[in-house]
Amino acid sequence: MSTAMLPFLDDLTLRLGDQVESTLSQNKHEVYLTLRDADIRPAISILRREQQARVAAVFAEDRRSAEGCFLNHYVLEFPGNPCYLILTTRIDPDRPMFPSLSAEMPSLNWQEREIQDWFGIQLEGHPNPRRVALHDNWPSVHPLRKDFPIDCVLPPFEGERHVYRPALGEGVFQIPVGPVHAGIIEPGHFSFAVAGEPILYLQLRMFYTHKGTEKLFEGAPIDRAVFLAESISGDSSFSHGTAFCQAVERAAAIEIPPVAARMRTILLELERVYNHVADIGAIATDVGFVIANAHGSRLREMMFKLNEQLTGNRLLRGMVRIGGVRRTWGDSQIAVLTQTLQEFEGEFQRLVDLILASDSTRDRLQRTGVLHPAKARDLGIVGVAGRASGVDLDVRRDHPYAGYAPYDMQTTVYQEGDVCHRVHVRIDQVRASLRLLLDAVRHEFRGEPFIPVRKIAPGRCALGAVEGWRGEILHWIRIGEDGCLERCKIKDPSLNNWPALVEAVQGNIIPDFPVINKSFNLSYSGTDR
Amino acid sequence: MFKILNQTFKTGTVTTGYPVSKADIPDSFRGRPHFDFGNWRDALPATAVCPTGAISVFDRADRRIVVVDYGLCVFCGLCAEATPEKAIQITKDFELAVEDRQELILSAEYSLSRDGSQQSLISFKHGPRPAEPAVERAGRKLKEGISKLLGRSLAIREVDAGSCNGCELEIVALNNPIYDIERFGIHFVASPRHADMLLVTGPVTRNMELALLKTYRATPEPRLVVAVGACGISGGIFGKNYASLGGVDQVVPVDVYIPGCPPRPQALLQGILVAIGKMAKALPFA
């Protein structure tokens, strides 16, 4: 089965020889290849060189009680192939170390350091092996180890939270911002080094909103965990909820009913639209074109009202469930959906015309906050920010799920990488979403909204992938005993994209920081979990 | 310029009349679950499905105590679906803000049948009182109240102490042309030093505890603290753990609690009104 989906795998197994312990494939979406040796580098380097593999995520798992070791999982995807490959290596608990790939692949920088923080598995050869998730003043604990109790009461903080690189030189100043920001946004700390107005460099300190989410998943009953998934990032509630449900459904080897797949597709696109439209207005505001925000936020409100009529919640919460969706829609709801979409289409066009007709707005957005395509590729940037900088990734097209398969999800990709093109990507995406939505609403919405899930065998693993409005969302799960979860790994696209902000602001003036930041609009809670 | 004006006139006035007039809430909205304690035959199915533990059951011999906490509720509606005899019904009520955390907690005592399946009500304790008449009055007098009490304006500093960003979306929506909170002289300010009120979302993470405390201390007295959403009230679905301290009142004193996941903009507005009312009571000279 595995060779049919990934034809190069036989050859790889042959070349890796006795390093390969096993290959396993339980569904058509993913193949597992377990390696004996902890050194993952040869396998990854062959796959990157010969198959253009992209490492989408890396994370660890504490399997000491079940298998006597830690496991490291590397999620790989290949251009034009919907099947993921998950490379797994065993790590000896008596010598907890693993080789770093970050020097070659800066995109793994934070993810590898997270493994070091959460599990206490030492990195070898990482260019900057400092803590990333746990702040410097946390005691030496490793919260995702199974022997760390979730309700552990930690001693009060002592010492520095984080030591920043000092800003040196005549006329060079440091500007600390946050964690409590001036606007109504999430907390994080930015330390700017500036020479006059231009920004020399920016240092980020995230994980202020870390609330133990991945640990909370462990031991949570699967049905309830859906609500936890919806609370990972408020503006991506439905995407995260769906990614989690998909992972469970794949572990259970079930297909959701067609009506549920169609409804999920519609709701995922509605989430994309309500976020993009408000962002477009907010970006214009950050360069002084305030009226655009009044219209943008009015249009978001229009979507929130629609969300509420379709799901009972303005953020689309409480609708997705394991096996499908909670309920189907009546004729009156479909009518409201169709009418709102038609009205929205015209309104959105007028908003875009308004912004694009403003020369001063365009002037401020063009060539501001440039992220070069080469940098975007190296840093593993995904989603909106990636598409504005030449990175052509879209989970809807590359790994079709829900009801996306019949639709052509070719989205435009730009090479310029400035704020202006991140706005253009959003405009294109809203238009594409509206096209899809107006087609999808013409279909039938009758039938069972979900199918019940029978007991899932403990130990089953699966990956759920969704193109959230920011980009690639991954949920990887392992089922535990009694219908509970053993492990859930969450990768929000923001985790990939924060380093892009650091690159994009360099050399720009500090008054442009808000608009550059808004053009990425990353989630703190999704990053920090 | 012509385009901008044309678009403005074409759009017209979109601002809602709430709280002076009634809020326009669609029927599908899931608001406060109403518990008909007298007809509730078995609380266990609802307890089993509740994702946050907002409904809990304590059995001792032939007695059962059922506790319902609106401060933990995420308004998912699963309890109503799991309870056959319509003892739980999802209403459209959203005006749930209270000054006293205890007002969000209902409890009922039952005697149990021999096999433990049937329960019959002995007594129950009320939770939040319907706030409507008071709020409508407050709505009409809002401008007057703010003008008298706070010199024509109420300045709010929003603090995200660890939320998922859901509450922030709704707080931002208060500034959109539909809810337009500035028409009441209420505005959001960039510094706690300019603020009369802290609007805090949670759960308060271990990493945000100090930042919240410093923000609180930087706010001049008399100050109000409003805890927003299930997580801000109680820690919500995250509860207390190694990284989360739970609700806002674990770190700073809270004046008003606004339930919701997230609370809709009208609910936030109602909570802010309740807080202003509390300040008016505390300052007899005003």
Side-chain angles (χ1 to χ4, degrees):
Chain A
M1 191 174 173
S2 56
T3 42
M5 291 181 294
L6 299 172
F8 50 83
L9 218 54
D10 279 345
D11 174 54
L12 181 77
T13 334
L14 219 58
R15 281 160 71 184
L16 292 173
D18 59 1
Q19 270 194 54
V20 176
E21 188 181 297
S22 63
T23 46
L24 174 71
S25 154
Q26 290 174 326
N27 63 51
K28 62 178 177 358
H29 308 285
E30 66 214 58
V31 175
Y32 290 81
L33 181 68
T34 307
L35 300 179
R36 236 173 230 119
D37 206 291
D39 196 351
I40 195 78
R41 285 172 293 193
I44 293 219
S45 108
I46 293 173
L47 290 168
R48 285 186 71 207
R49 202 173 50 236
E50 296 173 15
Q51 306 298 336
Q52 293 77 50
R54 168 181 166 264
V55 183
V58 46
F59 55 92
E61 212 192 345
D62 181 356
R63 294 286 287 166
R64 285 177 298 170
S65 61
E67 300 179 47
C69 61
F70 292 103
L71 296 180
N72 253 10
H73 301 287
Y74 297 78
V75 181
L76 280 77
E77 66 166 2
F78 307 92
N81 193 328
C83 184
Y84 286 99
L85 173 65
I86 298 169
L87 290 179
T88 303
T89 62
R90 295 187 185 282
I91 294 168
D92 181 359
D94 298 324
R95 207 181 139 272
M97 296 180 104
F98 73 107
S100 168
L101 299 165
S102 292
E104 289 160 62
M105 278 183 274
S107 59
L108 301 183
N109 174 7
W110 284 17
Q111 297 190 43
E112 284 190 339
R113 284 157 67 190
E114 269 195 63
I115 294 177
Q116 186 169 262
D117 288 359
W118 300 136
F119 292 91
I121 309 172
Q122 293 292 312
L123 273 163
E124 286 176 299
H126 192 290
N128 179 17
R130 294 190 298 168
R131 283 182 176 185
V132 64
L134 298 178
H135 290 176
D136 288 349
N137 53 1
W138 276 58
S140 180
V141 290
H142 306 296
L144 287 181
R145 285 192 173 197
K146 291 286 180 191
D147 49 13
F148 179 89
I150 184 160
D151 50 1
C152 177
V153 179
L154 297 169
F157 286 123
E158 273 175 41
E160 278 286 297
R161 191 184 285 270
H162 182 70
V163 181
Y164 295 90
R165 183 152 59 123
L168 300 172
E170 200 184 320
V172 176
F173 292 94
Q174 208 142 11
I175 306 177
V177 179
V180 179
H181 295 296
I184 304 173
I185 56 167
E186 298 176 82
H189 187 88
F190 301 118
S191 173
F192 296 95
V194 295
E197 283 208 311
I199 300 167
L200 294 177
Y201 56 84
L202 162 64
Q203 296 173 79
L204 294 178
R205 190 71 228 168
M206 306 303 296
F207 290 89
Y208 279 89
T209 69
H210 173 62
K211 36 198 177 277
T213 310
E214 283 185 18
K215 188 84 179 174
L216 276 167
F217 270 100
E218 296 180 7
I222 291 167
D223 290 330
R224 287 195 204 182
V226 178
F227 291 90
L228 201 51
E230 286 184 334
S231 305
I232 290 165
S233 176
D235 53 28
S236 304
S237 296
F238 197 79
S239 302
H240 270 288
T242 304
F244 175 74
C245 288
Q246 271 178 25
V248 175
E249 287 148 9
R250 285 173 185 178
I254 59 161
E255 289 286 332
I256 61 169
V259 63
R262 191 170 305 128
M263 285 172 69
R264 279 188 185 177
T265 310
I266 288 174
L267 294 168
L268 286 165
E269 291 308 310
L270 288 178
E271 188 166 82
R272 193 179 321 281
V273 169
Y274 90 62
N275 279 294
H276 283 334
V277 71
D279 274 1
I280 292 168
I283 289 168
T285 305
D286 278 343
V287 293
F289 194 47
V290 183
I291 192 98
N293 192 37
H295 289 297
S297 57
R298 182 171 60 84
L299 293 187
R300 168 184 278 197
E301 186 65 24
M302 199 168 153
M303 283 290 130
F304 275 179
K305 283 188 175 150
L306 174 64
N307 291 349
E308 188 163 53
Q309 278 167 317
L310 297 175
T311 67
N313 183 287
R314 287 159 56 90
L315 302 185
L316 303 167
R317 285 180 171 167
M319 190 61 172
V320 72
R321 57 159 288 162
I322 308 289
V325 290
R326 292 248 306 263
R327 61 194 89 76
T328 49
W329 290 323
D331 292 338
S332 64
Q333 282 167 307
I334 307 287
V336 170
L337 171 60
T338 314
Q339 195 201 334
T340 310
L341 287 173
Q342 282 162 349
E343 205 181 312
F344 185 91
E345 203 180 22
E347 288 269 16
F348 181 71
Q349 187 54 45
R350 283 195 287 280
L351 172 66
V352 170
D353 289 346
L354 212 59
I355 293 172
L356 297 184
S358 162
D359 292 333
S360 59
T361 304
R362 258 202 344 262
D363 183 54
R364 287 283 305 277
L365 302 183
Q366 282 170 343
R367 291 175 300 283
T368 300
V370 175
L371 175 69
H372 292 288
K375 286 239 169 90
R377 262 195 310 280
D378 286 349
L379 291 172
I381 305 308
V382 297
V384 170
R387 257 165 249 145
S389 298
V391 180
D392 188 10
L393 293 173
D394 191 328
V395 185
R396 295 174 294 174
R397 177 198 62 201
D398 302 337
H399 308 273
Y401 56 93
Y404 283 110
Y407 294 102
D408 174 18
M409 296 315 302
Q410 298 295 339
T411 36
T412 35
V413 173
Y414 299 98
Q415 302 297 326
E416 287 84 347
D418 56 1
V419 173
C420 186
H421 284 83
R422 285 190 283 278
V423 172
H424 277 296
V425 169
R426 284 180 165 85
I427 294 172
D428 296 343
Q429 289 218 300
V430 171
R431 286 182 178 147
S433 297
L434 288 173
R435 270 198 303 278
L436 185 153
L437 284 164
L438 285 165
D439 178 79
V441 292
R442 288 205 301 262
H443 291 79
E444 273 286 304
F445 288 90
R446 289 183 213 292
E448 281 301 309
F450 60 88
I451 60 165
V453 176
R454 59 190 190 303
K455 200 174 173 301
I456 311 169
R460 299 261 315 195
C461 306
L463 184 72
V466 161
E467 183 76 12
W469 69 273
R470 286 192 182 87
E472 175 197 58
I473 292 174
L474 299 176
H475 278 232
W476 182 89
I477 58 150
R478 183 190 291 276
I479 305 287
E481 303 289 335
D482 305 322
C484 290
L485 288 159
E486 165 89 16
R487 170 97 169 95
C488 180
K489 166 67 194 177
I490 304 144
K491 198 223 54 127
D492 189 87
S494 309
L495 192 70
N496 301 71
N497 287 7
W498 279 112
L501 177 65
V502 174
E503 284 296 330
V505 297
Q506 271 183 30
N508 284 264
I509 56 173
I510 203 126
D512 273 344
F513 175 73
V515 70
I516 299 171
N517 189 22
K518 193 75 201 174
S519 74
F520 288 97
N521 195 5
L522 302 173
S523 164
Y524 299 67
S525 184
T527 307
D528 305 349
R529 290 154 283 151
Chain B
M1 195 64 202
F2 175 73
K3 253 188 167 167
I4 297 172
L5 288 173
N6 187 34
Q7 172 76 338
T8 305
F9 284 117
K10 220 170 172 174
T11 307
T13 308
V14 294
T15 310
T16 127
Y18 185 85
V20 176
S21 58
K22 273 193 85 168
D24 176 27
I25 311 283
D27 290 335
S28 51
F29 167 65
R30 286 191 305 272
R32 179 180 64 89
H34 174 75
F35 296 84
D36 181 357
F37 287 105
N39 288 319
W40 202 0
R41 294 281 153 257
D42 187 6
L44 290 180
T47 313
V49 293
C50 178
T52 55
I55 306 171
S56 44
V57 165
F58 305 91
D59 284 352
R60 195 176 298 155
D62 61 341
R63 290 292 157 96
R64 165 174 292 172
I65 301 205
V66 181
V67 179
V68 175
D69 185 354
Y70 287 121
L72 269 166
C73 181
V74 291
F75 304 87
C76 65
L78 286 178
C79 54
E81 285 173 22
T83 306
E85 57 272 5
K86 296 215 166 172
I88 305 176
Q89 277 184 315
I90 302 300
T91 69
K92 284 162 66 177
D93 299 352
F94 64 87
E95 292 165 322
L96 305 174
V98 292
E99 293 174 22
D100 182 357
R101 172 80 177 87
Q102 291 307 313
E103 277 189 60
L104 294 174
I105 301 171
L106 323 178
S107 64
E109 191 178 355
Y110 293 94
S111 66
L112 284 176
S113 65
R114 209 160 273 165
D115 62 351
S117 62
Q118 289 273 319
Q119 53 190 34
S120 51
L121 185 66
I122 298 172
S123 66
F124 76 97
K125 183 185 107 20
H126 241 306
R129 286 177 291 276
E132 247 148 327
V135 164
E136 267 185 36
R137 235 179 302 125
R140 266 179 238 115
K141 292 196 168 175
L142 176 63
K143 254 188 170 158
E144 221 177 287
I146 289 181
S147 132
K148 242 196 207 161
L149 266 175
L150 300 153
R152 280 177 306 191
S153 80
L154 173 76
I156 304 179
R157 169 68 263 188
E158 198 270 346
V159 184
D160 177 339
S163 96
C164 73
N165 199 31
C167 290
E168 276 65 33
L169 292 190
E170 293 295 47
I171 294 169
V172 167
L174 283 175
N175 284 318
N176 73 23
I178 288 97
Y179 303 107
D180 189 22
I181 197 168
E182 293 228 12
R183 71 198 144 117
F184 303 115
I186 301 174
H187 50 243
F188 288 89
V189 292
S191 166
R193 297 196 194 281
H194 306 155
D196 306 301
M197 176 189 286
L198 295 180
L199 197 60
V200 191
T201 61
V204 183
T205 61
R206 180 174 150 84
N207 286 340
M208 279 304 288
E209 182 187 13
L210 182 62
L212 175 58
L213 263 176
K214 282 188 175 174
T215 309
Y216 177 76
R217 288 182 195 137
T219 312
E221 290 189 70
R223 66 197 151 200
L224 290 162
V225 177
V226 176
V228 178
C231 299
I233 296 172
S234 62
I237 199 159
F238 299 101
K240 284 186 191 184
N241 63 44
Y242 73 93
S244 160
L245 305 174
V248 176
D249 59 9
Q250 302 295 309
V251 180
V252 293
V254 170
D255 295 290
V256 168
Y257 299 85
I258 309 178
C261 187
R264 57 186 309 124
Q266 295 99 326
L268 291 167
L269 195 52
Q270 186 245 347
I272 293 167
L273 298 184
V274 171
I276 294 170
K278 182 171 180 177
M279 191 181 243
K281 275 185 270 171
L283 299 172
F285 53 84

